[in-house]
Amino acid sequence: MLKLLCPYCGVEADETELVSGGEAHLKREGPESSDEEFEEYLFLRDNPKGIIFERWRHAMGCGKWFHVARCTETMEVFGTYPAQTYKPPTKVLQEIKARRH
Amino acid sequence: MAESPAMGTPSLKLSDNTGMVLFRGELKSKTLQEGLFEVTKVKVPAKGRINSLDGLSIAWMSPDELLIFLPLGDVGKLIDALDDKLEGEETLIWDVSDLRSVFQIEGHFIREVLAKNSPADLNRDKMRRGTFRRTRFGQVAVAFWFKEETCWFLICRRSEAGYIQRLFEVSTQEGEIPSFY
């Protein structure tokens, strides 16, 4: 069972209160992009064994989207953060580094 | 233990006289907070909380949304007053009384019945008086809070009220109530 802290409500939400939104921090390719780039943006997703950045929605709660850094192998959660960002915040990256060395 | 689950089966009843007004806007704004307070006489609640005074409550729904509970007959008056007070501000003020249902739950072992059907942390130190918890009950989204340990409130979509009622009945059948808290 996965429990994630919603950065908006401060509620420790259970997996069943959330909806998964897939990989986070995708770069949206526009009309100038090549077919390969657009295909990558639209269809191709990483499926790592290890650290992953994901989007989740607090569907049975405040209804907001947020991001999660977690590990698919050990199920540890490194941190959650609001979705209004292009890259993971330094605090979360430091947390990952601290636990992986 | 003085009480056993068998003796205080909680009961659920629709509270049809409760009106609800949805309020959306930038809740951090001083103008909105002061305007709301002047009209309702209730302070804008902190994250995850509900504030009540004299039959009017304001609940925190999300960082940009509040839900105001008041007697059904006063809804129109409140909306007019808020519209006047906050004219020119970016807000959404909407009567959602017909969209949602409010249940009043009375009796003992209410925490237990809710905990059976919801993943929310219902321990006494987390779910306290004034906590407004949005979560799920069975398969549907709800929010609940309590006035007294023996008097709780639960809101859900009106179309799902029948489901809540039936699920509640099943979870409070004799011998079905555990003793967690």
Side-chain angles (χ1 to χ4, degrees):
Chain A
M1 193 172 74
L2 194 59
K3 281 188 133 185
L4 303 173
L5 183 81
C6 172
Y8 301 102
C9 308
V11 156
E12 186 98 66
D14 177 67
E15 195 177 338
T16 56
E17 292 173 90
L18 304 163
V19 168
S20 168
E23 197 179 328
H25 308 301
L26 294 177
K27 184 181 176 285
R28 188 174 183 163
E29 299 292 345
E32 332 57 59
S33 63
S34 69
D35 284 355
E36 286 72 28
E37 283 166 343
F38 195 74
E39 187 201 13
E40 163 111 32
Y41 156 64
L42 208 55
F43 299 115
L44 305 181
R45 295 290 176 268
D46 292 337
N47 183 21
K49 181 181 176 186
I51 296 158
I52 189 170
F53 295 91
E54 281 177 322
R55 301 165 70 228
W56 285 82
R57 192 171 92 91
H58 195 186
M60 303 237 174
C62 64
K64 306 287 180 210
W65 284 98
F66 61 93
H67 287 172
V68 180
R70 64 181 189 97
C71 179
T72 56
E73 199 180 357
T74 61
M75 293 302 275
E76 48 189 322
V77 176
F78 301 109
T80 56
Y81 49 100
Q84 288 76 27
T85 177
Y86 290 109
K87 53 180 197 294
T90 330
K91 225 180 120 191
V92 172
L93 294 176
Q94 278 169 350
E95 181 65 30
I96 296 175
K97 218 172 161 192
R99 293 216 223 159
R100 281 291 182 261
H101 284 284
Chain B
M1 211 165 58
E3 292 168 337
S4 83
M7 60 186 269
T9 312
S11 66
L12 183 85
K13 76 169 197 285
L14 260 182
S15 171
D16 260 342
N17 197 34
T18 310
M20 279 162 277
V21 176
L22 174 132
F23 183 95
R24 263 183 191 267
E26 176 50 80
L27 300 185
K28 284 187 189 133
S29 144
K30 269 252 141 59
T31 326
L32 292 198
Q33 288 188 3
E34 282 164 13
L36 268 164
F37 181 72
E38 267 180 56
V39 174
T40 61
K41 306 283 179 276
V42 176
K43 261 196 180 161
V44 171
K47 196 194 268 188
R49 306 283 298 167
I50 180 166
N51 289 343
S52 311
L53 185 79
D54 293 339
L56 190 143
S57 307
I58 306 185
W60 188 94
M61 295 286 276
S62 81
D64 57 0
E65 185 182 339
L66 300 171
L67 190 61
I68 308 171
F69 299 90
L70 73 171
L72 196 58
D74 299 343
V75 167
K77 246 183 353 200
L78 177 86
I79 293 180
D80 289 346
L82 281 175
D83 277 341
D84 276 353
K85 188 83 213 165
L86 300 171
E87 211 189 327
E89 296 293 320
E90 199 164 317
T91 56
L92 170 70
I93 300 164
W94 185 29
D95 179 3
V96 292
S97 312
D98 294 338
L99 213 85
R100 295 180 180 149
S101 288
V102 185
F103 284 108
Q104 191 172 345
I105 311 171
E106 281 178 325
H108 296 273
F109 297 94
I110 300 174
R111 267 180 209 273
E112 275 79 358
V113 177
L114 292 174
K116 277 177 72 175
N117 294 298
S118 155
D121 188 347
L122 279 146
N123 277 305
R124 283 169 201 272
D125 57 334
K126 280 281 165 57
M127 186 71 207
R128 292 179 307 202
R129 184 171 293 132
T131 303
F132 182 83
R133 179 65 152 93
R134 294 184 77 179
T135 177
R136 69 178 172 85
F137 188 81
Q139 298 179 27
V140 302
V142 299
F144 46 69
W145 70 103
F146 67 95
K147 203 163 73 182
E148 306 287 337
E149 203 53 54
T150 51
C151 176
W152 289 58
F153 296 93
L154 181 146
I155 53 167
C156 66
R157 289 184 200 102
R158 188 157 285 244
S159 59
E160 290 163 352
Y163 170 83
I164 298 276
Q165 231 152 0
R166 285 202 300 279
L167 181 57
F168 198 89
E169 272 164 30
V170 172
S171 355
T172 51
Q173 277 168 1
E174 212 182 319
E176 291 293 320
I177 305 179
S179 180
F180 294 144
Y181 304 107

